[in-house]
Amino acid sequence: MKLNYVTCEYSTNLINNGGGAKANEDIVKILKNKYSEFLLPIFDSKLTKLSYSFFEISKNISNLKKGNIFLIQYPLHSKIVLKTLLKNLQHTDFKVVIIIHDLLSLQRYGGNPAKVKSEITLLNQADGIISHNEVMTKWLISKGLQKSVVNLELFDYLTNVEPNSNLKLHKRIYFAGNLGKSKFLNNVKFKTPMDVYGAYPPNNMINSINYKGKVSPDVLPQLLTEGFGLIWDGNDTKSCSGNFGEYMKYNNPHKASLYLSAGIPLIVWDQSAIAKFVNKKHVGLTIKNLDEIDTLLNNLNINEFKNMKQNALDISSKVRKGYFLKRALKKLDQLI
C-alpha cells in the first residue's frame, strides 16, 4: 500500500506565533487520515541545521515506505533543510507537492529579482504547486514556474466553534493579527467600534479601538460574533502600503479564513487579491481606504448585509472542515 506524507515542523522552544502556526497545524489535522507526518525539527543553530540536513534527512526519507504524495508546507524555517529534502525526494517515487503559505521573495523582499529567481528555482523542483489564488498563480508563471499548479482559493480554519447565525446587522469591526506590523492602527479616524486582538499593539490608537489582548487562534472564533472582520496591512489608512501592503495584491491572508470560520463578512482593500474572492462569493465589502468605513456601514442595506452574512456562514461550514485543501489536492492529483 502506498502512503502519503506531509511535513510537520516542531520545536520545544517555538512560541506559538498565531496565524502561521495555526495554518500549518490545520493542514496536518485535515490530512491525518490519509497522510502521515514527516517530522522536521526546528533548530536555532546553523551548525545543527547543516548536520541534520546532511546526516538525518536522507536516512529518514530512505526509511519511508513507497509512497504517492509528499506534501511540503512552504516555506520551511530552514532553507538548507528544504533544499536537502527536495534533493533527496528526487531519488524516490514520490510525487512532490508544495503548498505555499507565503512567498518570501514578495512578502519580505518586495519582489527582489534575485530572491524571486531563487524561490522559483526551489518551487520548480516539485511536481505540483498549490498556490493561493489565480493572481498569485499568474505571477508565479510569469516568473518562470513550469510545474502544474492549482489555486487553493482560501485557507481552511479548523474550529469546533459554531458561528453566530443571527442575521442582525451590527456596526462593529474586528481586527486580529500581528499588530506590530499594523502601524495603520495609529492613524485610524473612523468612529465605528473596532475590537483588536494580537501582540505588540501600537501606542496611539483612538478611543473607538478596543484592544482585547493576545488570544489563541483556537479561541478567537468564539469571540467574533457580529459585524465584520477587517483585512488591512501597512502604515497607511489611505492604501495598503509597504512590502506587507503590496503583498496583499497576491496572497490570501489567513485572517480571512479566521473571520469566515466565525461566519462574519469581510471588509478588505479593493486592490487586494482576496477582494476578488469577496466579490465573487459576496461575503463582504471592498474599500479604497479606511476613511470610507463609517459612511459605508451607515448606508448599508440590511438585506445586502443578510446576504453577505448568509454567504459567510456557508463558507464557514467549508473552512471548518478542510474543504478547500481537500479540493485542491484532488485537482492537483489529476494533473501530476
Side-chain angles (χ1 to χ4, degrees):
M1 177 181 176
K2 291 191 174 184
L3 297 176
N4 301 315
Y5 293 89
V6 55
T7 58
C8 178
E9 293 189 296
Y10 70 95
S11 172
T12 56
N13 297 321
L14 184 65
I15 298 173
N16 187 335
N17 65 351
K22 168 70 173 168
N24 284 264
E25 291 165 4
D26 277 355
I27 285 177
V28 173
K29 291 176 182 177
I30 291 165
L31 300 178
K32 65 180 180 180
N33 293 327
K34 294 185 178 181
Y35 284 68
S36 298
E37 296 177 22
F38 187 84
L39 298 175
L40 291 168
I42 299 170
F43 302 110
D44 294 327
S45 163
K46 290 184 178 179
L47 183 61
T48 309
K49 291 176 187 177
L50 287 169
S51 175
Y52 175 80
S53 298
F54 289 115
F55 296 108
E56 297 297 326
I57 288 181
S58 61
K59 181 177 69 175
N60 292 343
I61 289 179
S62 66
N63 288 334
L64 298 180
K65 296 180 180 179
K66 288 189 175 182
N68 184 26
I69 301 292
F70 194 105
L71 179 63
I72 297 175
Q73 300 199 62
Y74 177 86
L76 299 180
H77 279 77
S78 169
K79 193 172 183 178
I80 186 63
V81 169
L82 174 60
K83 286 183 173 181
T84 308
L85 182 61
L86 286 167
K87 182 178 179 180
N88 280 274
L89 285 169
Q90 289 176 356
H91 304 292
T92 69
D93 62 348
F94 283 103
K95 294 177 181 178
V96 178
V97 172
I98 289 178
I99 180 167
I100 297 171
H101 285 281
D102 279 305
L103 287 173
L104 301 185
S105 63
L106 279 175
Q107 183 196 44
R108 295 183 183 176
Y109 303 107
N112 175 282
K115 298 292 185 180
V116 170
K117 183 178 179 180
S118 175
E119 192 159 47
I120 295 296
T121 298
L122 279 175
L123 296 176
N124 270 329
Q125 294 181 54
D127 296 293
I129 304 293
I130 299 177
S131 169
H132 288 201
N133 52 60
E134 90 176 20
V135 177
M136 179 180 283
T137 296
K138 287 180 179 178
W139 183 86
L140 288 166
I141 293 172
S142 75
K143 298 302 179 181
L145 184 70
Q146 299 172 349
K147 299 306 172 84
S148 297
V149 57
V150 298
N151 301 322
L152 183 62
E153 197 173 22
L154 190 70
F155 281 98
D156 296 295
Y157 198 106
L158 301 188
T159 174
N160 293 322
V161 177
E162 289 291 329
N164 179 7
S165 58
N166 190 321
L167 300 183
K168 183 179 179 181
L169 171 59
H170 292 271
K171 296 174 184 177
R172 174 171 295 279
I173 296 171
Y174 299 99
F175 183 81
N178 179 356
L179 306 183
K181 68 182 183 69
S182 304
K183 303 298 184 184
F184 73 89
L185 291 169
N186 278 327
N187 304 313
V188 164
K189 296 178 181 177
F190 59 77
K191 304 302 180 185
T192 302
M194 179 164 67
D195 292 347
V196 171
Y197 296 90
Y200 313 113
N203 297 321
N204 301 313
M205 296 186 292
I206 62 174
N207 292 335
S208 61
I209 297 179
N210 309 299
Y211 177 57
K212 298 290 189 175
K214 183 179 179 181
V215 178
S216 162
D218 293 314
V219 174
L220 262 175
Q222 70 189 51
L223 304 177
L224 312 181
T225 58
E226 58 190 32
F228 296 81
L230 176 64
I231 300 176
W232 200 266
D233 218 330
N235 301 335
D236 198 355
T237 61
K238 302 296 184 184
S239 177
C240 290
S241 58
N243 283 352
F244 291 116
E246 283 294 307
Y247 187 50
M248 286 186 63
K249 294 179 179 179
Y250 301 94
N251 80 319
N252 288 348
H254 193 248
K255 60 171 58 72
S257 303
L258 160 66
Y259 300 145
L260 289 170
S261 76
I264 60 173
L266 312 179
I267 296 178
V268 306
W269 182 38
D270 64 0
Q271 298 300 307
S272 65
I274 198 67
K276 297 179 184 298
F277 179 86
V278 169
N279 289 329
K280 178 181 176 182
K281 301 294 184 180
H282 305 290
V283 289
L285 303 168
T286 62
I287 55 174
K288 286 184 170 58
N289 65 73
L290 293 179
D291 295 337
E292 298 176 7
I293 284 182
D294 287 338
T295 301
L296 192 63
L297 294 186
N298 287 334
N299 294 333
L300 184 61
N301 181 285
I302 184 61
N303 290 325
E304 183 182 0
F305 173 77
K306 287 181 177 179
N307 181 49
M308 290 187 294
K309 172 71 174 179
Q310 187 57 60
N311 291 335
L313 289 169
D314 292 342
I315 297 294
S316 172
S317 67
K318 293 181 177 181
V319 297
R320 290 185 289 119
K321 297 176 182 176
Y323 166 84
F324 290 97
L325 175 62
K326 293 174 184 176
R327 184 186 63 174
L329 282 170
K330 186 176 180 179
K331 286 183 179 179
L332 194 56
D333 192 44
Q334 296 170 353
L335 299 175
I336 59 176

